[in-house]
Amino acid sequence: MKIGDKVRFLSEVGGGTVSGFQGKNIVLVKDEDGFEIPMLRQDVVVVGSEDYDSSKVNTTGNPLPFSQKGEQASKKKDDDPASQEESEEKPITFKAKPLERREGERLNLYLSFLPDNIKEFTGTSFESYLVNDSNYYMQVSLLCATGASWQLRFCGVVEPNSKIFVEAFDRSQLNDMERLCVQAIAWKQDKPFILKPATTTELRLNLTKFYKLHVFRPNEFFKEPNWTEDIIRDDKPVRSTFVDAEQVQAAIMKPTNR
């Protein structure tokens, strides 16, 4: 088994492409949505270039390539009213459950920024992602300050040990992102878990970092250069240490009582 092999899961529905390894026993499998799922080596089997979902076949009876299976499955569903009705009634389920990690019992949540074109950094736009480095599902809301009020920028569920795309933006929108607030609620699906308190974390981004190339580096979550800010670290919300110059000036000018 090597990086690039197409595999399917033995104990669960799903599969994907081998993207890496963790030690001798863990295989990282990237699914169709781009998420890396850690699985035990004995729980996956190489299927070569075949589609791991044998229910999706073409008219010749051979498995469809990955590039075609979505198109044909969608067409078949559109042509069959009964299948449409059935799909609407069934709840959405995940294709595979990530392998839990001992260190994942503590909540760790990050907000990452990736430039679209690192080679033309002065004019590039950016993408942002939320990274859930824990064994818990997280319902996350991302807000930005607009004067004395707040505006919602993103709200969604981030699966355990995964990342999710938030938005794309360019430099003209940076001023809207100086003051952010992240609210998170954590839980586990279909199993008992230790209750985690709901968190609200306010942070003030140092927007000058969007103009500093050396700030953007690869890390354990992204192979591409990125700037990653802590939101929750080991169950504790992280407070921003960036100081507002106006607040400092107001504190200096404030008279003291003697």
Side-chain angles (χ1 to χ4, degrees):
M1 186 181 300
K2 62 183 182 299
I3 294 176
D5 284 346
K6 291 182 173 62
V7 297
R8 63 179 176 85
F9 303 142
L10 293 177
S11 58
E12 302 180 31
V13 177
T17 304
V18 175
S19 60
F21 302 90
Q22 290 182 349
K24 296 182 179 180
N25 298 321
I26 303 299
V27 181
L28 299 178
V29 180
K30 182 176 289 187
D31 67 7
E32 298 172 22
D33 300 321
F35 295 113
E36 286 188 336
I37 303 171
M39 298 291 293
L40 290 173
R41 185 183 288 266
Q42 61 263 33
D43 289 340
V44 299
V45 61
V46 177
V47 295
S49 60
E50 296 180 351
D51 186 356
Y52 59 79
D53 190 347
S54 58
S55 65
K56 299 182 177 69
V57 295
N58 56 21
T59 55
T60 64
N62 298 321
L64 286 169
F66 277 79
S67 59
Q68 298 178 8
K69 66 180 181 181
E71 180 180 350
Q72 177 157 326
S74 176
K75 183 177 180 181
K76 181 178 179 181
K77 185 179 292 186
D78 292 341
D79 295 340
D80 187 356
S83 65
Q84 285 186 354
E85 183 176 351
E86 181 181 1
S87 63
E88 291 175 357
E89 294 177 355
K90 289 185 177 180
I92 298 174
T93 57
F94 300 109
K95 290 175 290 186
K97 296 179 181 178
L99 185 69
E100 290 198 343
R101 304 169 296 118
R102 181 177 301 177
E103 60 272 23
E105 288 305 299
R106 292 188 177 184
L107 299 184
N108 285 283
L109 180 67
Y110 308 93
L111 179 61
S112 297
F113 303 99
L114 283 72
D116 288 333
N117 189 347
I118 194 69
K119 295 182 179 180
E120 298 181 5
F121 186 72
T122 56
T124 186
S125 54
F126 297 87
E127 292 182 346
S128 60
Y129 292 80
L130 284 164
V131 181
N132 176 8
D133 187 27
S134 77
N135 297 333
Y136 285 73
Y137 289 84
M138 288 196 201
Q139 173 76 42
V140 181
S141 298
L142 175 66
L143 309 95
C144 66
T146 56
S149 303
W150 294 89
Q151 181 175 347
L152 183 68
R153 298 183 74 96
F154 170 85
C155 184
V157 175
V158 192
E159 297 179 37
N161 303 304
S162 69
K163 54 198 175 188
I164 189 170
F165 173 76
V166 175
E167 62 179 339
F169 59 93
D170 56 38
R171 295 183 188 275
S172 65
Q173 300 171 282
L174 289 181
N175 288 338
D176 298 333
M177 303 179 62
E178 184 175 13
R179 290 179 57 207
L180 299 177
C181 176
V182 179
Q183 297 178 319
I185 301 174
W187 74 95
K188 288 188 180 183
Q189 295 267 96
D190 304 323
K191 63 178 66 176
F193 58 89
I194 297 175
L195 185 63
K196 305 288 184 177
T199 62
T200 298
T201 306
E202 292 186 29
L203 64 155
R204 186 182 294 269
L205 294 181
N206 185 348
L207 300 183
T208 62
K209 290 186 176 182
F210 283 102
Y211 298 90
K212 298 177 179 179
L213 180 60
H214 69 273
V215 170
F216 294 81
R217 299 177 179 273
N219 58 15
E220 59 183 311
F221 307 121
F222 296 93
K223 297 178 182 179
E224 302 84 359
N226 68 92
W227 164 28
T228 295
E229 281 284 320
D230 294 359
I231 305 300
I232 303 174
R233 168 70 74 172
D234 292 336
D235 285 338
K236 298 179 180 179
V238 176
R239 301 298 177 183
S240 174
T241 57
F242 180 59
V243 179
D244 189 331
E246 294 181 358
Q247 292 180 348
V248 172
Q249 184 177 4
I252 293 174
M253 300 299 294
K254 184 177 179 179
T256 58
N257 296 327
R258 297 184 178 177

